[in-house]
Amino acid sequence: LFSCMFIPEISETLSKRHTSESINQARSIEHALQSFFDMQRGRRAEEWITIDGISSPDLDDGLSLQKLPEGKWWILKVHIASPTELIEIGSPIDLEAQKRATSVYFWESHILHMLPNIISTNLASLNHKKQRLTLTLELEINRDFEVVRKDLYKSRFFNRYRHDPQSFMQAFSNTTEAEYEMFSELHILARWLFQRRDNALRIADFDDADRRIVIGEYISGHNNTHISSFVIQECMIIANRMVAEIMQENNVAGLYR
């Protein structure tokens, strides 16, 4: 348990409100959202699910898994929200985002977003029953749990159901649930991906369920013991590795952190 007092100066150094220019631009994007979709009709359409905490205000990744016939194994797709599709380079939102650099999460109800809330929690968030612009990483994984094919492409993602850890476990534990088979296969895949990382002496476990931060009288933390968290962890790690390989193979410069 990590304890600290909430230091107002830390929050004061970060701008709580976006500039009026950025907010006005975000509202313009909101009014023109359908036109953005109309211009992107050629993108591949994807319709799957998200898995996030109940109180998560911004949903930035979706998942899908297809089991292939004998001889091959899985097609894993990781769909990532793509707000840059909506924001013009050099515009007020872009310039302000460069200054902010990242979103800062104090707790669920106190977040300083890099982008205006209209975009962070709505227009670019993969919300339930909404269509959003995304980048999709498609991975073909063989019986030895090796990636034999990878592809990165622009897509249109429709979130058919927003799952949380509780609904994930309900579907995972009940053979009559619509998502039962996919969640079971995701868990099998995650376990083997974890084992391969462990054998390769990489960082094996990100479980931080016992760590909390005390901010004044508020305790901030999360329980990472759910199977859903483990599944997301392994899918995101393999996705980041494969995107890094794609960037390296295509001589695309990027930041390492």
Side-chain angles (χ1 to χ4, degrees):
L1 177 68
F2 298 102
S3 298
C4 67
M5 294 300 294
F6 181 74
I7 304 174
E9 290 78 4
I10 295 177
S11 184
E12 290 302 324
T13 61
L14 302 169
S15 178
K16 294 182 177 65
R17 296 183 62 84
H18 288 82
T19 64
S20 58
E21 292 82 5
S22 291
I23 293 173
N24 288 336
Q25 182 186 352
R27 288 171 177 161
S28 297
I29 293 172
E30 183 177 27
H31 294 315
L33 188 62
Q34 187 57 49
S35 66
F36 280 97
F37 290 138
D38 291 342
M39 289 187 293
Q40 303 292 338
R41 290 196 180 279
R43 298 165 76 118
R44 203 176 307 184
E46 303 286 350
E47 180 179 332
W48 291 101
I49 54 95
T50 57
I51 308 171
D52 289 272
I54 295 175
S55 57
S56 296
D58 42 12
L59 315 182
D60 55 12
D61 54 74
L63 288 177
S64 59
L65 187 70
Q66 176 189 358
K67 191 172 182 179
L68 296 175
E70 195 112 4
K72 297 184 179 179
W73 212 231
W74 289 292
I75 296 291
L76 171 66
K77 294 182 182 181
V78 180
H79 314 279
I80 304 297
S82 184
T84 54
E85 302 279 348
L86 306 173
I87 301 166
E88 186 179 350
I89 295 176
S91 66
I93 292 178
D94 179 47
L95 296 177
E96 187 175 9
Q98 291 181 39
K99 293 179 181 178
R100 288 173 175 265
T102 188
S103 296
V104 180
Y105 293 77
F106 290 101
W107 58 85
E108 287 87 346
S109 61
H110 189 70
I111 303 170
L112 304 182
H113 283 113
M114 182 176 71
L115 303 175
N117 287 2
I118 298 174
I119 294 178
S120 297
T121 64
N122 184 9
L123 307 183
S125 180
L126 308 184
N127 295 341
H128 181 65
K129 298 296 184 183
K130 296 293 183 181
Q131 180 179 242
R132 295 291 181 257
L133 300 178
T134 49
L135 285 174
T136 292
L137 175 67
E138 182 176 316
L139 304 176
E140 185 174 325
I141 301 173
N142 66 13
R143 286 178 174 271
D144 297 319
F145 302 95
E146 300 169 327
V147 176
V148 295
R149 181 180 64 81
K150 53 185 181 290
D151 189 16
L152 184 65
Y153 53 85
K154 293 182 176 182
S155 55
R156 289 181 290 114
F157 179 82
F158 180 81
N159 187 358
R160 74 183 186 200
Y161 196 87
R162 174 185 174 167
H163 280 281
D164 56 56
Q166 287 73 31
S167 67
F168 177 96
M169 284 305 300
Q170 180 179 343
F172 179 73
S173 307
N174 189 342
T175 57
T176 63
E177 291 283 344
E179 248 72 72
Y180 169 78
E181 183 175 353
M182 186 176 77
F183 286 174
S184 298
E185 293 296 327
L186 275 170
H187 186 227
I188 293 170
L189 176 62
R191 282 167 40 207
W192 280 101
L193 291 175
F194 172 85
Q195 188 62 52
R196 285 180 63 85
R197 288 196 301 110
D198 194 22
N199 293 342
L201 301 179
R202 297 188 176 94
I203 297 174
D205 195 357
F206 290 90
D207 187 3
D208 56 0
D210 296 325
R211 301 176 188 172
R212 296 177 297 170
I213 299 174
V214 178
I215 305 176
E217 296 183 354
Y218 185 90
I219 298 177
S220 177
H222 67 279
N223 187 332
N224 201 37
T225 58
H226 282 287
I227 293 176
S228 62
S229 296
F230 175 69
V231 166
I232 294 296
Q233 167 187 297
E234 293 306 316
C235 289
M236 292 303 111
I237 290 173
I238 191 69
N240 277 278
R241 284 185 52 221
M242 293 302 104
V243 169
E245 286 189 9
I246 290 173
M247 293 174 67
Q248 187 175 39
E249 291 164 1
N250 291 276
N251 296 314
V252 176
L255 296 176
Y256 176 85
R257 66 169 186 170

